[in-house]
Amino acid sequence: APMAGELRCQCLETEAAVINPKHIANVELIPEGPHCGVPEVIATMKDGGKVCLEPTAPWVKIIINRILNSTTSKTS
Amino acid sequence: APMAGELRCQCLETEAAVINPKHIANVELIPEGPHCGVPEVIATMKDGGKVCLEPTAPWVKIIINRILNSTTSKTS
């Protein structure tokens, strides 16, 4: 799980196993910068857990694109 | 700016103008779900401001991919 505090990299390691997008509540993308030399992708799961994902992994990009392109008919 | 509270859509409208990726601190992707019928993309700017981006806009996808693919040589 990512460490607290934004003044350094929040992810010590990234999840290798593919996670089910249905269990994702949101995904946070943090660009690389002075605080951390690599971009970070942190998924918050519906159960509240946080998982660091590999930004360059193809399946991570697929999940991100699926989120961006998804709409259901019903609107609230 | 997005409204507080996750039990409904957080964005009333999305920013039409292209924003400078250098000013982005992080980007939050919220999948559509029972709370909101559309996916939402909320950028937090380095000055603390929050901006709702259009998930399907090409320039938004370019910014997201640029974040995912960027690494600087220095690591901290």
Side-chain angles (χ1 to χ4, degrees), chain B residues 11-22:
Chain B
C11 295
L12 292 179
E13 60 200 0
T14 56
E15 177 62 51
V18 177
I19 55 176
N20 184 337
K22 287 199 177 73

Side-chain angles (χ1 to χ4, degrees), chain A residues 57-70:
Chain A
W59 67 273
V60 171
K61 293 187 177 178
I62 289 167
I63 283 183
I64 287 172
N65 279 303
R66 198 180 292 170
I67 289 174
L68 294 176
N69 297 320
S70 68

Side-chain angles (χ1 to χ4, degrees), chain A:
Chain A
M3 299 174 300
E6 303 79 15
L7 295 184
R8 56 175 179 243
C9 297
Q10 294 191 42
C11 294
L12 293 179
E13 60 199 1
T14 57
E15 178 62 50
V18 177
I19 55 175
N20 185 336
K22 288 202 175 75
H23 297 156
I24 294 177
N26 73 56
V27 177
E28 186 181 7
L29 312 181
I30 305 168
E32 53 86 22
H35 67 288
C36 177
V38 291
E40 296 182 293
V41 178
I42 303 173
T44 302
M45 309 310 285
K46 288 180 178 171
D47 65 10
K50 287 193 183 258
V51 181
C52 287
L53 308 181
E54 175 50 49
T56 55
W59 67 273
V60 171
K61 293 187 177 178
I62 289 167
I63 283 183
I64 287 172
N65 279 303
R66 198 180 292 170
I67 289 174
L68 294 176
N69 297 320
S70 68
T71 51
T72 50
S73 54
K74 65 179 178 357
T75 53
S76 59

Side-chain angles (χ1 to χ4, degrees), chain B:
Chain B
M3 299 174 298
E6 302 79 14
L7 295 183
R8 55 175 177 237
C9 296
Q10 294 191 43
C11 295
L12 292 179
E13 60 200 0
T14 56
E15 177 62 51
V18 177
I19 55 176
N20 184 337
K22 287 199 177 73
H23 298 157
I24 294 177
N26 73 56
V27 177
E28 187 181 6
L29 311 180
I30 305 168
E32 53 84 21
H35 66 289
C36 177
V38 291
E40 296 184 293
V41 179
I42 304 174
T44 301
M45 309 310 286
K46 288 180 179 172
D47 65 10
K50 287 192 183 259
V51 180
C52 286
L53 308 180
E54 174 49 48
T56 55
W59 67 273
V60 171
K61 293 187 177 180
I62 289 167
I63 283 182
I64 287 172
N65 280 302
R66 196 179 294 170
I67 289 174
L68 294 176
N69 297 321
S70 67
T71 52
T72 50
S73 52
K74 65 180 181 341
T75 53
S76 57

